[in-house]
Amino acid sequence: SSSEDKFIETHDTSITIYEEEPAGSGRSATTRAPKPVVFEKTITYKARILPVTVDGLLVQANDVVINGYRAYIAYNYAGDLFKGAIQIVDISNPGVPEIITELKFSSMDINTVQLVSNQLYFGGQADPDLYGFRSFIGVIDTTKLTNLDLNSIVQSIIGLKSYATTAITDQGNEIYVGVGAKNGYIQVLNNGTLEVTKDMIIPDVRDVQKYQNGIVAIAGTTDNSQTKGRILIYHANNLDNPVVMEIPDFASPYHKSTIEMYNAKYAFLGLAEAGLKVLDITSNEENSQIVFELQNPAVSYTTKTNTNSVTTDSAYIFSANGEYGFRVLRVLNMSGKDSTFAEIVGYYPFEGLKAADGKPYSANHIDFKANHLFVASGAGGVNIYYLQ
C-alpha cells in the first residue's frame, strides 16, 4: 500500500566526534569520559525519519542506498512476522530531506534495495503461507513515482530459492541476487524479464556487489559446511571459478555483513565480528589483497559493536557499529596500505539514545554521498547528517 504518513523530524544541531577509548581501559558507562576530537568538517544532525509502522507494528531501517539526489531505504520487522516498507527520500535541498514516496508491505520483509538505471530492485522475505515462497525480488519504476501503479509493482514480484533475499546487484545485462542462508545461492537473472538464467550455490551469502570485471560476494558459515567465512571474487566471464579469500575470524551467525564498492575496484567490507576491511580487487583477481583493516571497538559498556556496514567518498570512511554508534576515519592515500591508507578519527556514540519504547538505537547500515550521511538506526529510525 502507498502511505501518506511520511513522519520526519527536522533538526539543526552540530554533533561532536569523540576519541575512541583504548582496549582494556576499564571505563564503564558511568565512569568513562570520552574526549572530543578536532575534526575538519562540521557534522550537523539535520533530520530523523521516525520508525515506520506497518499494521500497528514498528519496522526497522536496515538498508540505505544514496544515488544522485535521492536516498532509498528498506525496512523489515525484527521478529517472526513479515512486515516491511520502502521509502524514497529527496535530498536535493542540502540538509533538508523530504520523503516523497513510502510503500508498506503487510506480508513481506524488505531486506535490500538496489537502483539500476531508473529501476529500483527490492528483495527480502515473504510469508510463505500466502505466497508459496520466501525469497523474492521485485521492481519499482522510479520515473513514475508521482503516479505509482501498485498493481504493476505487485505483478513484478517473483519468488526465488532459499529463505531470504540478502543482496541485489547488476553487472552487464544481468541481475545477481543473493539468497540464503540455508541452501544459499547467487541467482543470476535477466535484466528485463527477471528470468533466472543461472544458479550459483553459495551457502550463507550475505552481500553481493559488482566490481570492474564481475561481482564480489561475502559468505558466512551459518547453515554451511565451511568453517571459515569467505570473500568470493567472480569474473563475469568465469562464474564457475571464483577467487576465494578466507576470513578466519568471521563467524557472526545471521549478522549483517555488507560490501560497498568505490571506483569499481575497492571493496569496503563490513564484516560483523571480523570488523572493517578494504579489499583492492586488481584486474588479475588472483592478486587482490586486503589493504586496510580495523577491528571492532573493544569497550566494556556494550557488547554490540559489530561492523554492520561501511561507506566512503574517498576522503572519509564511516562505519555502522551497532549500539556503539558510528565511526569516522580519514582516508590518507587510496594507493597506500595499512596505516598509510587511512586513520581513525573517532566515533559518534549512540550510548543513551533510545526510541520511545525504550529500545536503544543501533547503527545497522550507513551510506554517505553528496555530503549526506544516512544512518539506519534500528528502533531509532533513520538519522540524517550533513557534512560541510
Side-chain angles (χ1 to χ4, degrees):
S1 63
S2 181
S3 169
E4 297 298 324
D5 293 341
K6 304 176 184 177
F7 296 127
I8 186 168
E9 296 175 348
T10 57
H11 299 267
D12 192 22
T13 307
S14 296
I15 66 169
T16 301
I17 302 302
Y18 293 93
E19 180 181 295
E20 290 210 315
E21 298 175 32
S25 65
R27 295 174 182 167
S28 68
T30 56
T31 62
R32 69 189 195 88
K35 298 178 181 178
V37 299
V38 176
F39 185 47
E40 59 269 22
K41 294 285 186 178
T42 299
I43 305 179
T44 306
Y45 177 32
K46 283 292 187 180
R48 181 171 81 100
I49 300 174
L50 275 63
V52 177
T53 300
V54 180
D55 298 334
L57 297 173
L58 290 178
V59 293
Q60 63 181 7
N62 66 99
D63 192 21
V64 181
V65 173
I66 300 174
N67 188 291
Y69 292 114
R70 285 178 178 172
Y72 305 86
I73 307 171
Y75 291 81
N76 63 13
Y77 181 67
D80 294 332
L81 299 177
F82 303 90
K83 306 289 178 184
I86 293 173
Q87 288 177 331
I88 301 176
V89 183
D90 186 335
I91 56 172
S92 58
N93 186 356
V96 187
E98 178 185 1
I99 302 169
I100 56 177
T101 300
E102 181 174 289
L103 299 176
K104 296 184 178 182
F105 297 76
S106 291
S107 52
M108 289 179 164
D109 286 324
I110 309 299
N111 295 338
T112 182
V113 288
Q114 182 68 44
L115 190 70
V116 180
S117 297
N118 293 318
Q119 304 300 304
L120 182 68
Y121 290 90
F122 61 93
Q125 188 174 24
D127 185 342
D129 293 334
L130 291 177
Y131 294 97
F133 54 79
R134 288 180 179 266
S135 299
F136 69 88
I137 187 172
V139 63
I140 299 169
D141 186 345
T142 64
T143 67
K144 300 178 180 179
L145 295 181
T146 56
N147 189 25
L148 269 179
D149 182 354
L150 296 183
N151 186 61
S152 69
I153 297 173
V154 172
Q155 293 299 320
S156 75
I157 295 172
I158 64 169
L160 299 173
K161 291 187 174 183
S162 195
Y163 286 77
T165 297
T166 59
I168 302 169
T169 193
D170 69 300
Q171 178 62 268
N173 295 319
E174 307 289 350
I175 300 294
Y176 293 80
V177 185
V179 295
K182 187 176 182 180
N183 302 323
Y185 292 84
I186 292 178
Q187 294 195 268
V188 186
L189 285 63
N190 177 272
N191 185 358
T193 65
L194 293 187
E195 178 185 359
V196 177
T197 60
K198 185 178 179 64
D199 289 333
M200 303 154 60
I201 300 175
I202 308 174
D204 197 15
V205 58
R206 305 289 179 88
D207 201 3
V208 182
Q209 291 295 325
K210 65 179 177 182
Y211 74 96
Q212 54 194 340
N213 296 326
I215 61 168
V216 58
I218 302 171
T221 58
T222 305
D223 295 319
N224 187 348
S225 61
Q226 298 288 331
T227 58
K228 296 179 181 179
R230 296 172 296 160
I231 302 167
L232 303 104
I233 307 170
Y234 294 85
H235 195 286
N237 295 328
N238 189 13
L239 294 178
D240 295 321
N241 295 289
V243 172
V244 179
M245 304 175 66
E246 290 188 337
I247 314 170
D249 51 351
F250 183 61
S252 308
Y254 298 112
H255 290 171
K256 189 177 181 71
S257 308
T258 57
I259 306 167
E260 178 174 293
M261 295 302 305
Y262 176 76
N263 200 26
K265 71 186 293 285
Y266 291 100
F268 285 75
L269 309 172
L271 294 174
E273 292 177 1
L276 183 163
K277 298 184 191 296
V278 180
L279 172 65
D280 182 359
I281 305 177
T282 63
S283 55
N284 180 357
E285 286 80 7
E286 292 281 356
N287 294 329
S288 300
Q289 61 177 322
I290 299 294
V291 295
F292 180 78
E293 49 192 323
L294 180 67
Q295 293 182 345
N296 292 326
V299 294
S300 59
Y301 57 90
T302 179
T303 59
K304 297 182 179 179
T305 65
N306 278 359
T307 301
N308 297 316
S309 172
V310 185
T311 185
T312 185
D313 71 341
S314 79
Y316 302 101
I317 303 167
F318 299 89
S319 68
N321 289 85
E323 293 178 13
Y324 180 75
F326 64 84
R327 301 169 102 178
V328 183
L329 292 84
R330 185 183 295 110
V331 177
L332 302 175
N333 181 2
M334 275 283 188
S335 299
K337 190 175 181 181
D338 300 326
S339 62
T340 64
F341 183 91
E343 64 182 1
I344 184 77
V345 174
Y347 78 114
Y348 179 66
F350 273 13
E351 179 190 352
L353 297 180
K354 296 182 182 295
D357 61 0
K359 292 182 179 178
Y361 284 26
S362 177
N364 294 333
H365 197 91
I366 195 163
D367 200 17
F368 179 56
K369 301 287 186 301
N371 294 321
H372 283 83
L373 180 69
F374 276 61
V375 184
S377 305
V382 179
N383 293 281
I384 303 172
Y385 308 86
Y386 189 73
L387 271 68
Q388 59 188 146

